[in-house]
Amino acid sequence: MITVSFACDDGVAPYRIGEGLLPEIAGLLAEDLNGRRAFVVTDTNVGPLYGEEIAGRLEAPCLQLPAGEEHKRWRSVERIAQWLLAHDAERGSLLVAVGGGVVTDIAGFAAAVTLRGLPWVAVPTTLLGMVDAALGGKTGIDLDEGKNLVGAFWAPRAIVADPLVLATLDRRQLRAGLAEVVKSAMIAPSSLEHILDSHLAPVAAGDPLQAQELVAGCARVKSEIVGLDARESGPRQALNLGHTLAHGLEAATSYAGFLHGEAVAWGLLAVLRLARDRGLLSTADALAWADRIRFLAPLPALSGLGWDEVAPYIARDKKRERGRVGWVLPRLGGVVLDVAVSGPEAAAVYAQLQSLPADGPFTALF
Ligand code: GLY
């Protein structure tokens, strides 16, 4: 088992990563439970696989939300809050979210607002959740106006990930999770590039047992960044690399056109091109990253989605300040924050992306 520490309101939240941890969950959470009642929130995909079993081990009631990003809405938060209250939850109760990023985002937010705040634990069951979504306390829901526009910083008091569960994750979801891994490696290449190059291909090919080191590496990078800036006033903005376009793509397709990681993969290609054009990255470096992004393909094609449909959502990005959305761009050895990108420049890069084959290679972008 590998343990990575994350900051939380009560001090330090352990992120325990290891094969075969889920059957041990009651023991792992013994300190967090300490006489508290647990409540498990999962979804209809993960519930029958893991959520019900975890609820059984914690002697907890289990709520299964409908699966999918389109359910990351107010109504799901209300449903969780009402379910908790119907089961006499108290402020000392422990909500345990078992699922992918959608479940941990919604359930974490419900924990933040129910009874003005319950402690919670994240048990991510997708690669994307293990490397990013469940870590660092960003919780929230989507609105018609855009993704994650309502939410709270509410860190889980513990996180438990068992990479064995990735064996039941479909290949598309696994590849989508790798987009956040590539993102993390672009932010912190000195920590992650070597692990990425030895583990990306086997994980993309469906060998989830190779994922543990990637998960731990991404977790260490994220823990360091969140430790510096839990509320995203500075360094944490780096973690939005590739997300400016990604959130626009997801919102413009009503959250049904792309898995989050697939949209991030397009977003990473866009920022590579913008960075190369500014001389922040050499063409050779941009091509090397594009080669890695090929492992995430096929991506949903952009050909049917016009820039005029996407651009309004980018303009409303929640990271907007003083009327301007600052992009995060990669550079040699890391990223640059808050870069101005004009509308016509973003539109031109988008047109280039639209002409790329959705299953790669993406080298024609450079
Ligand atoms: N997913 C980006 C962050 O946690 O800041």
Side-chain angles (χ1 to χ4, degrees):
M1 178 171 80
I2 300 169
T3 304
V4 179
S5 297
F6 275 81
C8 72
D9 283 349
D10 299 339
V12 171
Y15 180 12
R16 299 187 184 96
I17 306 156
E19 290 163 19
L21 287 189
L22 287 196
E24 310 298 324
I25 190 108
L28 292 172
L29 298 184
E31 262 185 49
D32 305 285
L33 286 164
N34 192 22
R36 301 169 194 266
R37 288 177 63 211
F39 294 83
V40 170
V41 175
T42 184
D43 71 19
T44 48
N45 287 341
V46 178
L49 292 169
Y50 310 111
E52 288 167 5
E53 185 197 329
I54 290 173
R57 291 184 187 279
L58 299 177
E59 297 175 17
C62 180
L63 175 66
Q64 301 193 27
L65 301 170
E69 178 89 29
E70 61 273 33
H71 299 289
K72 209 175 115 179
R73 295 298 188 133
W74 279 114
R75 61 182 174 276
S76 297
V77 177
E78 185 173 27
R79 187 167 163 203
I80 295 171
Q82 289 178 324
W83 173 78
L84 287 166
L85 297 174
H87 285 81
D88 299 323
E90 300 168 358
R91 259 198 196 154
S93 302
L94 187 71
L95 192 156
V96 180
V98 183
V102 172
V103 168
T104 53
D105 274 12
I106 306 170
F109 184 48
V113 296
T114 303
L115 298 174
R116 295 209 173 89
L118 305 180
W120 74 291
V121 167
V123 184
T125 58
T126 60
L127 182 59
L128 192 134
M130 292 179 190
V131 299
D132 187 58
L135 318 180
K138 273 190 186 174
T139 68
I141 53 163
D142 303 331
L143 301 180
D144 290 344
E145 288 78 1
K147 193 173 158 81
N148 296 338
L149 289 181
V150 169
F153 290 101
W154 191 245
R157 56 179 294 143
I159 309 152
V160 179
D162 181 345
L164 288 180
V165 305
L166 299 177
T168 55
L169 192 64
D170 77 58
R171 196 71 68 83
R172 185 178 167 201
Q173 289 274 1
L174 201 59
R175 284 195 307 263
L178 284 171
E180 294 284 5
V181 176
V182 174
K183 175 201 85 172
S184 302
M186 285 168 71
I187 294 169
S190 60
S191 311
L192 285 176
E193 211 170 356
H194 62 290
I195 311 179
L196 187 72
D197 285 335
S198 48
H199 290 71
L200 182 62
V203 175
D207 181 359
L209 298 185
Q210 298 286 327
Q212 179 157 315
E213 272 202 64
L214 284 178
V215 172
C218 291
R220 287 191 191 102
V221 166
K222 187 156 183 179
S223 157
E224 196 170 316
I225 294 173
V226 173
L228 293 171
D229 176 24
R231 289 184 166 251
E232 201 177 271
S233 53
R236 186 167 181 167
Q237 290 166 15
L239 295 168
N240 297 323
L241 183 69
H243 284 59
T244 305
L245 176 61
H247 287 172
L249 296 176
E250 291 180 270
T253 52
S254 304
Y255 309 103
F258 300 83
L259 296 178
H260 176 62
E262 293 170 337
V264 170
W266 282 122
L268 292 177
L269 288 165
V271 293
L272 284 170
R273 172 64 200 251
L274 291 164
R276 199 286 307 264
D277 290 353
R278 283 167 168 72
L280 294 167
L281 276 184
S282 67
T283 300
D285 284 333
L287 282 168
W289 286 112
D291 272 345
R292 292 167 178 137
I293 293 171
R294 188 167 185 193
F295 285 107
L296 319 182
L299 304 175
L302 299 182
S303 44
L305 184 61
W307 176 245
D308 53 337
E309 297 169 82
V310 178
Y313 293 101
I314 293 182
R316 274 201 291 269
D317 192 287
K318 67 182 171 311
K319 265 80 75 177
R320 185 176 59 185
E321 272 190 44
R322 293 183 289 279
R324 183 173 80 78
V325 176
W327 290 57
V328 183
L329 297 189
R331 63 167 170 80
L332 191 64
V335 293
V336 191
L337 305 181
D338 198 24
V339 179
V341 175
S342 72
E345 189 184 9
V349 170
Y350 188 73
Q352 296 272 341
L353 295 179
Q354 285 182 301
S355 67
L356 293 174
D359 55 353
F362 303 118
T363 43
L365 185 59
F366 309 98

